[in-house]
Amino acid sequence: MENQNNVTEFVFMGLWGNKQMELLFFFWFLLCYLAVLMGNFIILFTITCSHLIEQPMYYFLCHLSLMDLCYTSTVVPRLIRDLGAARKNISYNNCMTQLFAAHLLAGVEIFILVAMAFDRYVAIVKPLHYTVLMNRQRCNMLIFTAWAVGFWHSIALLLMVLNLPFCGPNQIDHYICDVKPLLKLVCRDIRVVSILVIANSGMVVVVIFLVLVASYILILYNLRTRSSAGRRKALSTCSSHVMVVVLFFVPCIYTYVLPAGNENKDKEISVFYTVIAPMLNPLIYTLRNTEMKTAMQKVWSKMAHSECK
């Protein structure tokens, strides 16, 4: 049977049906988005205008902040607009664009977190080989790989969704165009497609999370031979990364491992990795990092006298 697509636009049902609640959260999400922009901009500016950009850990952190900015900007501005709008509609083409962009940027961010874990593993487990293994060429290769894998992941999902027939209704029980809420609107059996989505997104996220957990177990095991001062410094850096990983991965695992169903709390849980995590990441990496705080003071004091060159 030939696929038919009678839908030219979708309508978001949003997070809440209560108009007063939506107005309240309009201001809350607006403040969150401004915090994301300001926090990640400060990290980007501090790292690029200081010696920290030469260190692999901060080089990756710079790219992570950029991904947080871009990823949040594909989701939150439309969410804010929809919270204040009478009708939350999006065209079919814009919906597919948002789906592709969000999964591309999220995929890149996931593999940047893997690169950061690899950097910490080499720094702690193989410190004598660190400068050789984590040279700038290797760092650039890891970033390029993150983009390549993110693109493969998002294009595979996009092509899968483009081949699905949407005959109506067109109401998405979500605030973004994501693959699982879209599957509920498909007018054919979706069991095979649901399995492919879980394999493409859910199982990949689970495997990467387990790899990250294993890497930090190995790091903790190797720290037992270090001095107490060395352990404290390494644990401070690693604990920040672990907090970011948990904030991002745990909600993603819940969202993409479970099959599409009306009983799932996907749209509520997705707020954690679309808004909360990008907002908290700058705080986690600055408040718990003495080197970042020192660099920020130097950069901003220099800016008080002259422009960053």
Side-chain angles (χ1 to χ4, degrees):
M1 183 175 123
E2 187 180 340
N3 284 353
Q4 290 188 345
N5 195 348
N6 302 326
V7 173
T8 58
E9 72 169 12
F10 295 101
V11 178
F12 293 124
M13 292 175 69
L15 278 166
W16 305 274
N18 187 314
K19 196 64 187 174
Q20 289 181 327
M21 282 281 288
E22 288 192 338
L23 198 60
L24 177 67
F25 279 96
F26 170 87
F27 293 104
W28 187 77
F29 279 114
L30 180 61
L31 289 173
C32 287
Y33 185 54
L34 291 174
V36 170
L37 293 178
M38 185 175 70
N40 285 288
F41 172 75
I42 288 171
I43 283 187
L44 280 168
F45 190 78
T46 301
I47 293 173
T48 53
C49 291
S50 70
H51 68 284
L52 294 181
I53 192 66
E54 298 165 10
Q55 299 181 40
M57 183 178 77
Y58 295 104
Y59 177 72
F60 291 134
L61 178 57
C62 193
H63 282 276
L64 182 71
S65 290
L66 182 61
M67 288 304 101
D68 277 338
L69 278 173
C70 296
Y71 178 61
T72 309
S73 296
T74 64
V75 175
V76 180
R78 177 170 284 278
L79 169 60
I80 294 169
R81 191 211 71 172
D82 288 343
L83 285 170
R87 193 165 184 267
K88 306 169 177 60
N89 61 311
I90 184 172
S91 70
Y92 177 85
N93 290 336
N94 285 344
C95 182
M96 295 302 111
T97 302
Q98 187 185 56
L99 172 72
F100 174 78
H103 277 271
L104 168 65
L105 296 167
V108 175
E109 182 160 342
I110 283 170
F111 283 93
I112 288 174
L113 288 171
V114 173
M116 293 175 78
F118 178 70
D119 170 71
R120 290 300 85 204
Y121 174 82
V122 174
I124 293 167
V125 179
K126 298 182 181 295
L128 298 177
H129 302 92
Y130 181 72
T131 53
V132 176
L133 290 172
M134 297 305 297
N135 56 45
R136 185 46 57 93
Q137 186 179 2
R138 179 68 56 83
C139 293
N140 288 334
M141 185 191 73
L142 289 169
I143 294 295
F144 175 80
T145 303
W147 275 97
V149 175
F151 179 81
W152 172 84
H153 158 73
S154 56
I155 201 70
L157 274 182
L158 179 65
L159 293 174
M160 198 185 303
V161 174
L162 287 174
N163 284 318
L164 296 173
F166 296 96
C167 315
N170 66 341
Q171 288 189 321
I172 301 176
D173 187 18
H174 215 292
Y175 60 91
I176 56 173
C177 279
D178 203 3
V179 62
K180 280 183 67 180
L182 283 170
L183 287 181
K184 297 176 187 178
L185 307 181
V186 175
C187 48
R188 80 168 189 213
D189 186 72
I190 61 166
R191 281 176 293 185
V192 174
V193 181
S194 293
I195 292 168
L196 291 174
V197 168
I198 291 170
N200 180 287
S201 300
M203 297 315 297
V204 170
V205 171
V206 170
V207 169
I208 292 172
F209 181 69
L210 291 176
V211 168
L212 291 172
V213 169
S215 71
Y216 280 100
I217 290 172
L218 287 172
I219 287 171
L220 289 172
Y221 179 77
N222 280 273
L223 280 176
R224 76 194 195 286
T225 58
R226 297 290 183 88
S227 64
S228 58
R231 277 201 301 271
R232 278 197 300 272
K233 185 178 179 182
L235 285 171
S236 175
T237 305
C238 292
S239 61
S240 297
H241 190 250
V242 168
M243 288 168 68
V244 170
V245 165
V246 170
L247 269 174
F248 190 85
F249 274 85
V250 172
C252 280
I253 289 170
Y254 173 89
T255 302
Y256 293 106
V257 168
L258 297 176
N262 294 325
E263 70 282 357
N264 294 350
K265 300 290 183 183
D266 292 349
K267 64 182 180 181
E268 291 86 355
I269 296 295
S270 63
V271 172
F272 282 93
Y273 58 82
T274 56
V275 183
I276 305 298
M279 181 178 67
L280 293 181
N281 285 356
L283 292 174
I284 292 169
Y285 279 113
T286 53
L287 295 180
R288 297 177 58 83
N289 191 316
T290 307
E291 206 169 8
M292 268 294 294
K293 286 189 282 189
T294 304
M296 284 171 64
Q297 289 171 356
K298 287 181 180 178
V299 168
W300 292 104
S301 63
K302 191 200 299 185
M303 281 296 296
H305 299 92
S306 62
E307 290 185 358
C308 177
K309 296 181 181 179

